[in-house]
Amino acid sequence: MSTPPDDNFNNITRQIIEKSLFTERQIEIILKRKNLTDSQFTISKGAFYRQVTQCKDKLTALCYSWILLRGLGVLSDDDMDVINRLSEQVSVIKSSDVFSEREEEIMSVIRELLKRTCKL
């Protein structure tokens, strides 16, 4: 499997992907399947569709986990609000140029908020 091009994501998005359940390639595939990118892949059709299946399985498992944790009260309304606000901020900065000295500050804020939200 070839490595996805480095210019598809900014450093903050790439750092978040590294901590997620998905690889950069899988995120690219999800974006392509949702018609949110024009990325081209240099892998065989079989490998591509195998990755699509893995993406669907992971995304489905993530949604079941989200429903379960929310339904059991592990994730509160406040937690959901924090996660939604972080998602909105990532959406704003995903295609922005962020000064490298600000990247660590942004990631630090994200880590701290998620640490509080995911505390057991």
Side-chain angles (χ1 to χ4, degrees), residues 1-3 25 29 40-49 51:
M1 173 182 351
S2 66
T3 308
R25 173 63 59 125
I29 288 171
Q40 299 300 316
F41 298 97
T42 56
I43 58 176
S44 69
K45 266 189 168 178
F48 177 79
Y49 286 107
Q51 289 260 344

Side-chain angles (χ1 to χ4, degrees), residues 97-113:
D97 288 331
V98 178
F99 295 116
S100 56
E101 56 271 4
R102 296 272 300 151
E103 289 175 359
E104 184 51 41
E105 183 181 332
I106 292 167
M107 284 306 299
S108 178
V109 169
I110 290 171
R111 278 192 298 272
E112 184 57 35
L113 288 170

